[in-house]
Amino acid sequence: MKKLINNPDNVVRESLEGMALAYPDLIKVDFDPHFIYRADAPIPGKVALVSGGGSGHEPMHSGFVGMGMLDAACPGEIFTSPTPDQMLEAIKRVNSGVGVLNIVKNYSGDVMNFEMAAELAYSEGIPVFNSLIDDDVAVKDSLYTQGRRGVGTTVLAEKICGAAAEQGYNLQQLAELCRRVNLNGRSMGMALTSCTTPAKGSPTFDLSEAEIEVGIGIHGEPGRQRMSIKSADEITEMLALSIIEDSAYQRTVREWNQQQGEWVDRELIDSPFEQGDSVLAFVNGMGGTPLSELYIVYRKLAEICEKKGLKIVRNFVGSYITSLEMQGCSITLLKMDDELIKYWDAPVKTPCWRWGI
Amino acid sequence: MKKLINNPDNVVRESLEGMALAYPDLIKVDFDPHFIYRADAPIPGKVALVSGGGSGHEPMHSGFVGMGMLDAACPGEIFTSPTPDQMLEAIKRVNSGVGVLNIVKNYSGDVMNFEMAAELAYSEGIPVFNSLIDDDVAVKDSLYTQGRRGVGTTVLAEKICGAAAEQGYNLQQLAELCRRVNLNGRSMGMALTSCTTPAKGSPTFDLSEAEIEVGIGIHGEPGRQRMSIKSADEITEMLALSIIEDSAYQRTVREWNQQQGEWVDRELIDSPFEQGDSVLAFVNGMGGTPLSELYIVYRKLAEICEKKGLKIVRNFVGSYITSLEMQGCSITLLKMDDELIKYWDAPVKTPCWRWGI
């Protein structure tokens, strides 16, 4: 294993220390338990947004803490869920009194721990809502998940809901907005290579020199199919068509009812893509992919969207939700409307994403 | 070789096609010869900035074309200099009549071809100045270079001079500013792994599982020393001290004299770092390096700068001048003053770097 690290046990902590040194005007970091929060939190009158998950997917989430996105992020160890106490401390630190929206990727550990944190916050009188992201069309159940995994749409939800929170949306409005982003968004990824976590020191999975894994998860979870290497155009077509043609996915989601202090089941169904839809096209690198290759993927994706009658009204190309140094990409398509476009375009100022300010 | 490409011969072209599709409001692309230019070029009354070099270092240069940075970029094939006709066509397209500043990294092919392009532009009545960047302290001569190579400072020079051009600097002022940025900036890089160009299909150089190369060039040129893997702190210290403690480098640079239409030699000498200096600290990923590792490097770099009495007044952490999927990093320190800070902070709107707008 060759990495720019010191002790494998200290990777997350030292990386956070580096961030704290690099962005003292934007963020602060608390340790034991670890969380990153806006330097100016809590923001009076604003609903706070908290997210988190295993580390190793940077810049998500820690790089997206700041004006117009998250108020706090809770990083677990590499590819490991953060703990409820991290989440609770973060929630308490950024809560201004009008509530906290937790954006939770659908991985069993993240979901369970954010549910526990929500209950603890409720017991301390903090209004909380957990919004689930489960947008990965590759697999319905997987190693770490019941139902679909949460991937690329998470980044888009953090941007859009973060901007809406700045504009004064209350907790219920944000919960509805985040739910809509999730139902409008779908993703699928693939890997050319594996990645190596510092703790394990050897590749998370094995791929031969001539193989790729299509439908991979962001922790290297098995995908839909292992196959021989294909061209960028063929890979893009597999991912894009899987996303565009997936049937409306139906699932039961547990949502927190603040009034009654209990979890209630809610039936949710995806909003499939239709000819004439406006979409945001997000081509994401897995961490070790040259940017030039992502543009080759975008080139084909634009052609496919045009053929399918989907109008790309916004796009986003880069490595934003990664798996350490894994090579590969994921595609996310998000159905857009005026409200989503307005908040997508709004200013943002975080360590790893800044525009309009 | 596993890459997200179609035909190895079409990588640069298809990547540019993808960029053209992704950013039609920001850039346009011409093919045969290839160059990227601002969609709104030429900008009346503004000196235009042109850069270029081999592809494979994205986002530099093509991702930095737009308001506040470059007016045009000329991408060669992967790790191969662009041709004089590419440069000349780009210069002609973006020239508004008040001149063009070419920012040229010190590689023999780039220098020779940009010199030829400058002469051709002069013969067509276009005032041109070629500013050389030679900031890499690792080696004085190398495989592709006479003198020091041009690396990380290039990105900073493009940002700072681009902003100054927006503010109305004339060609002479920009030439002076760019020269000062170059004399104030120093870099050094290292590689954990090699990279593979699509044309060759096998690694550019070989590094064993336990080796690193310190002082590497951005095309995988040999560095100062091959050694066994070290900790991030040790690596950061090697790079940072090499930069900070390097003696004042003296070289003869050929500069174009517009009045006389000829090249004149000019003696230039670095401005070494001294206790009390304000610096911009740039930690750059080589393309395949997880962002979290760059923050571990930044953490140590901040400590070293503090010990050495250098005050980090701005920083920049990310993969901006890359070598395809190479893992590793480079450090650039740039001595700052009020003028440089002002233009560093100014708005920029390009495909891969946007803030303030």
Side-chain angles (χ1 to χ4, degrees), chain B residues 12 16 29-30 33-36 51-56 58 61-62 73-78 80-83 86:
Chain B
V12 172
L16 292 174
V29 182
D30 259 29
H34 300 352
F35 61 97
I36 304 148
S51 192
S55 293
E58 290 71 24
H61 304 272
S62 53
C74 306
E77 287 301 309
I78 304 269
T80 304
S81 294
T83 56
Q86 284 179 269

Side-chain angles (χ1 to χ4, degrees), chain B residues 73-234:
Chain B
C74 306
E77 287 301 309
I78 304 269
F79 294 176
T80 304
S81 294
T83 56
D85 64 315
Q86 284 179 269
M87 298 162 181
L88 181 63
E89 289 305 314
I91 287 167
K92 286 161 69 176
R93 186 66 54 87
V94 299
N95 171 44
S96 73
V98 295
V100 177
L101 183 81
N102 295 322
I103 298 181
V104 185
K105 301 192 302 300
N106 191 34
Y107 294 96
S108 303
D110 290 10
V111 171
M112 190 176 68
N113 291 352
F114 262 114
E115 287 189 354
M116 207 177 297
E119 290 175 16
L120 292 167
Y122 172 81
S123 72
E124 299 201 20
I126 302 173
V128 171
F129 191 90
N130 287 7
S131 282
L132 195 74
I133 306 291
D134 59 347
D135 62 320
D136 187 344
V137 301
V139 288
K140 295 293 182 271
D141 293 294
S142 84
L143 200 54
Y144 301 100
T145 337
Q146 274 203 309
R148 296 199 312 203
R149 301 174 296 216
V151 288
T153 300
T154 316
V155 175
L156 312 182
E158 290 177 359
K159 171 69 183 78
I160 289 167
C161 296
E166 297 288 346
Q167 293 297 312
Y169 274 41
N170 66 28
L171 185 56
Q172 193 190 327
Q173 290 171 314
L174 285 171
E176 279 163 18
L177 180 64
C178 197
R179 193 186 295 122
R180 193 151 63 81
V181 170
N182 185 43
L183 296 179
N184 279 6
R186 291 178 182 179
S187 304
M188 190 156 135
M190 59 77 57
L192 293 167
T193 65
S194 183
C195 61
T196 298
T197 63
K200 188 175 175 215
S202 60
T204 303
F205 60 100
D206 290 312
L207 266 183
S208 81
E209 248 315 296
E211 279 180 325
I212 61 173
E213 177 95 23
V214 173
I216 194 89
I218 55 171
H219 313 94
E221 307 96 305
R224 277 193 184 179
Q225 201 183 347
R226 186 163 292 201
M227 59 181 73
S228 61
I229 175 78
K230 299 278 182 296
S231 72
D233 283 359
E234 289 169 314

Side-chain angles (χ1 to χ4, degrees), chain A residues 46 70 154 172 196 259 274 279 287:
Chain A
K46 189 183 92 68
L70 300 176
T154 315
Q172 193 190 324
T196 298
Q259 276 68 45
E274 287 169 19
V279 297

Side-chain angles (χ1 to χ4, degrees), chain A residues 135 148 153 180-187 270 333-334:
Chain A
D135 62 318
R148 295 200 312 205
T153 300
R180 194 151 63 79
V181 170
N182 185 44
L183 296 179
N184 279 7
R186 290 177 182 179
S187 304
D270 264 20
L333 293 178
L334 175 66

Side-chain angles (χ1 to χ4, degrees), chain B residues 13-14 69 73 104 167 248 333:
Chain B
R13 188 189 184 98
E14 290 184 356
M69 277 187 89
V104 185
Q167 293 297 312
L333 292 178

